[in-house]
Amino acid sequence: AHAGDAEAGKAKSATCAACHGADGNSMAPTFPKIAGQGERYLIKQIKDIRDGARSVPAMAPFVAGLSDTDVADLAAYFAAQIPTAGGAKEELVELGEAIYRGGIAEKGVPACLACHGPDGKGVAAAGFPRLAGQHDAYTAAQLTAFSMNQRTNDGDSRMMRDIAYRLHATEIEAVASYIQGL
Ligand code: HEM
Ligand code: HEM
């Protein structure tokens, strides 16, 4: 496999900047921050969006023509950028923290930190995404999409769909806010 070249990726990233920010720290919460995201996860998502396994109509035309080398270079560039921090809503921290750190045993929801890490930085080598500092509205939208079977690229294990469909809207809002503050 081609090892991504961050310098080459930077040159190819101009088209991404309008939505994700020049350094991958998007301003608008509908666009995910991708700065500092794990390289393996970035490669998988860009390819999934390019190839249709994850439906993102707004972005698909911009990645349709990318080669696997382009994808690897872009992933190397964005993985090397420094992610900005966000904050949590005070009133949601207690519930959000409880779910993130302990899951919800009576509903079979596992602790998020088992895969996304105690600090929300993910496990890059395993392809478990970084969540820390992500826009709460984006995180909530992804959890809702998983829960409704609209985002289905979590593989045959369906691990995120299985988790998300057990969460109420209030629980999604709380854990998404807590994650923004991690
Ligand atoms: C999602 C990369 C261009 C809009 C994503 C994700 C990645 C990515 C890696 C998934 C993030 C995650 O799962 O955390 C890129 C790259 C681009 C590019 C490398 C340039 C080659 C664009 C452009 C737009 C855009 C130009 C806007 C027109 C979006 C949106 C999502 C997304 C809306 C999230 C969709 C959802 O809610 O599921 N992008 N992107 N992207 N991108 Fe891009
Ligand atoms: C993806 C949240 C538990 C493994 C995601 C995403 C979110 C999320 C928001 C999408 C990230 C993005 O689009 O940037 C959560 C929350 C959890 C939880 C709130 C606890 C309630 C877990 C657990 C595992 C896991 C326990 C492992 C068993 C994954 C994997 C992906 C993912 C592998 C990437 C799926 C893909 O390739 O598209 N998670 N997660 N998560 N999560 Fe979780």
Side-chain angles (χ1 to χ4, degrees), residues 32-34 37 41 44-45 48 54 99-100 103-104 109-116 126-131 134 138-140 142-143 146 151-155 157 159-160 163-164 167 171-172 175-176 179:
K33 292 184 188 177
I34 56 174
Q37 183 55 275
Y41 176 79
K44 177 178 183 291
Q45 297 307 311
D48 281 357
R54 176 174 172 188
I99 296 169
Y100 191 85
I104 309 174
V109 175
C112 316
L113 62 65
C115 297
H116 296 286
F128 297 158
R130 172 191 177 88
L131 303 177
Q134 185 59 271
Y138 170 78
T139 296
Q142 296 310 303
L143 291 170
F146 279 126
R151 177 170 169 182
T152 57
N153 68 330
D154 55 341
S157 70
M159 59 178 81
M160 283 311 305
I163 291 168
L167 299 174
E171 292 162 346
I172 287 179
V175 78
I179 282 167

Side-chain angles (χ1 to χ4, degrees), residues 61-118:
F62 295 94
V63 291
L66 298 181
S67 68
D68 288 358
T69 300
D70 295 334
V71 172
D73 292 346
L74 286 160
Y77 171 68
F78 285 113
Q81 304 311 302
I82 310 290
T84 53
K89 291 195 183 108
E90 191 88 50
E91 67 275 18
L92 296 178
V93 167
E94 192 178 343
L95 178 58
E97 181 169 35
I99 296 169
Y100 191 85
R101 308 210 159 270
I104 309 174
E106 59 275 26
K107 291 205 283 184
V109 175
C112 316
L113 62 65
C115 297
H116 296 286

Side-chain angles (χ1 to χ4, degrees), residues 3-24:
D5 175 340
E7 272 305 307
K10 181 179 181 156
K12 295 171 183 175
S13 71
T15 175
C16 322
C19 298
H20 294 286
D23 66 349

Side-chain angles (χ1 to χ4, degrees), residues 39-60:
E39 215 165 326
R40 178 172 162 181
Y41 176 79
L42 286 171
I43 290 172
K44 177 178 183 291
Q45 297 307 311
I46 299 167
K47 287 184 177 173
D48 281 357
I49 293 168
R50 180 192 66 186
D51 302 338
R54 176 174 172 188
S55 174
V56 184
M59 174 171 146

